[in-house]
């Protein structure tokens, strides 16, 4: 059995979640669900990053103690993920006692090894990023992500001698031992390394809201050093150890490009310093959701919340709209108009309409029963029932061959984290099915030949069933509703291994179909 450990960044609790965070989290959920379906031992981690100056300042502005403020916002994240049907296996908060203890032990280990030393650090600090910035990262003197001027800082600090691991890490990245994808992101990281990796300030004397260094309590741990260790502590590393070491290192770490550089430098350097494995991990960088070409961010204030989307479209449609909004791995503008258009085209007119029209015909012509008993997978289909994707200019395909081909493409996209492309295969299948119905016109055929109509509609039902298996990681509730409508038991379907579930012939012959309410009612302007 393979293992699959997937992580999202842990989100700052300076404000409630917006659809940028939701995007990463839903993408991780889709991948986790898919890997559970192919029966990989899966662990999906997410959580909240709660220390540091940014949170302390926001709590103060709200007139609250940092812990109370962090408790409230962390709860909002947990609620948002519950509402979004996120299936995370753990939720780590950096204020958890076990996490804090493990961070202290880790930093002590690095200090004892001589990798952390006392020094003085000067630089331009962006509170929004909680990072020192180089002059050349700024645009007109401002941080491009936060549109703020960084503060000049100079203080006594403990420094992590990260540069000592530079050559080793560069080799690991170049050889894909530590994979960074998409490839253009890897190239950026490689050129960053070639400029020479600098040491990094790892403690703050003037920040009280943080984890005290065990050997010098007048300093707190740099918030990123604390945050990175979440990927270990959530597994119980240096503590209860429930999922450590079996799950470590992560197979896929999702994030957007704002935090790639630190993930590709500080994080693996910490692992090397801690004598822990880095190999076979992958950092996968997806794009930014932009509004009017600007990054959506809490600091800028141009945010759409997941609750706004759920109110308009429902949970599953929101998941779909997020995952199909932009090519996964690249930036893209989002807008309400685009979401509305996609909802109507892909969901109301696409999958919703296909399921409704097929089930209506089954009700009308076959007393709501799955027709054509015993459609064995090796049964020879009569030539009229081949699937002519003629509009695509291709030669006729036998339906099962066509679906198998589509399934192959889908699996390949899921393996390579191309979620938008996997969805595009599903949409293609749906529109091909609509084409199939137009071609065979079961609503006319029924007047001439009931047996042939049964075969046509059986093919439609079976294709819908397979489409719903492919949809499940993206839209679990919709897939389960479709199974119920097809007369199947969702709990039983979920136990099946993916390869078993997608085999042609999974319908129960004679089972009663139940056409429910419209899956995606059309949105009116
Ligand atoms: N706390 C750090 C991460 C520490 S991980 C050890 C942090 N938090 S954050 O709240 O700012 O979250 C950043 C992440 O949220 C991004 O990397 C991305 O995954 C997601 N997104 C935030 N805004 C986004 C968009 N506008 N578009 C897409 N994803 C976005 O950084």
């Amino acid at each position: 059995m393979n293992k699959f450990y997937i992580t999202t960044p842990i989100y700052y609790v300076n404000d409630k979640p917006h659809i940028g965070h939701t995007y990463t989290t839903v993408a991780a959920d889709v991948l986790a669900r898919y890997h559970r379906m192919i029966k990989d031992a899966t662990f999906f981690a997410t959580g909240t990053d709660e220390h540091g100056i940014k949170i302390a300042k926001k709590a103060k502005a709200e007139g609250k103690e940092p812990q109370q403020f962090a408790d409230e916002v962390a709860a909002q994240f947990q609620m948002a993920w519950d509402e979004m049907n996120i299936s995370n296996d753990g939720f780590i908060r950096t204020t958890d006692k076990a996490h804090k203890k493990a961070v202290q032990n880790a930093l002590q280990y690095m200090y004892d090894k001589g990798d952390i030393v006392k020094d003085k650090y000067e630089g331009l600090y962006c509170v929004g990023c909680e990072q020192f910035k180089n002059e050349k990262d700024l645009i007109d003197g401002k941080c491009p992500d936060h549109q703020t001027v960084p503060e000049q800082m100079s203080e006594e600090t403990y420094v992590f001698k990260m540069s000592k691991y530079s050559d080793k890490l560069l080799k690991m990245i170049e050889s894909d031992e530590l994979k960074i994808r998409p490839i253009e992101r890897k190239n950026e990281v490689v050129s960053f390394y070639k400029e020479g990796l600098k040491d990094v300030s790892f403690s703050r004397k003037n920040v009280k809201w943080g984890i005290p260094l065990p050997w010098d309590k007048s300093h707190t741990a740099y918030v990123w050093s604390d945050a990175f260790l979440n990927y270990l502590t959530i597994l119980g590393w240096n503590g209860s150890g429930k999922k450590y070491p079996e799950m470590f290192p992560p197979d896929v770490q999702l994030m957007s490009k704002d935090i790639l550089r630190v993930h590709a430098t500080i994080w693996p350097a910490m692992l090397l310093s801690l004598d822990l494995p880095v190999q076979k991990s992958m950092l996968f960088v997806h794009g930014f959701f932009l509004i009017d070409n600007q990054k959506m961010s809490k600091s800028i204030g141009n945010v759409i919340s997941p609750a706004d989307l759920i109110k308009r479209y429902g949970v599953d449609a929101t998941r779909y709209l997020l995952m199909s909004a932009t090519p996964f791995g690249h930036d893209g503008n989002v807008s309400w108009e685009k979401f509305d258009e996609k909802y109507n085209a892909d969901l109301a007119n696409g999958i919703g309409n296909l399921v409704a029209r097929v089930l209506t015909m089954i009700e009308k012509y076959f007393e709501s029963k799955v027709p054509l008993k015993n459609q064995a997978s090796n049964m020879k289909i009569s030539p009229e029932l081949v699937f002519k994707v003629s509009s695509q200019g291709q030669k006729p395909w036998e339906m099962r061959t066509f679906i198998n081909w589509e399934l192959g493409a889908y699996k390949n996209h899921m393996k390579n984290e191309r979620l938008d492309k996997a969805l595009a295969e599903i949409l293609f299948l749906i529109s091909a099915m609509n084409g199939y119905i137009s071609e065979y016109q079961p609503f006319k055929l029924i007047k001439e030949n009931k047996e042939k109509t049964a075969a046509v509609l059986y093919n439609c039902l079976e294709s819908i069933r397979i489409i719903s298996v492919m949809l499940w990681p993206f839209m679990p509730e919709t897939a389960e509703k479709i199974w119920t409508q097809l007369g199947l038991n969702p709990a039983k379907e979920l136990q099946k291994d993916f390869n078993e579930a997608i085999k042609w012939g999974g319908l129960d012959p004679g089972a009663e179909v139940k056409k429910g309410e419209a899956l995606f009612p059309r949105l009116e302007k």
Side-chain angles (χ1 to χ4, degrees), residues 379-398:
M379 178 182 147
K380 188 109 186 79
I381 285 193
S382 65
E384 297 91 330
L385 296 180
V386 292
F387 187 40
K388 302 189 192 102
V389 202
S390 39
S391 58
Q392 303 297 321
Q394 291 169 355
K395 61 180 189 337
W397 289 71
E398 199 264 328

Side-chain angles (χ1 to χ4, degrees), residues 325-346:
T326 61
F328 201 62
H330 301 274
D331 292 353
N333 269 297
V334 295
S335 68
W336 286 102
E337 291 75 35
K338 269 205 216 161
F339 283 144
D340 275 7
E341 253 169 50
K342 260 192 117 31
Y343 174 97
N344 275 339
D346 300 352

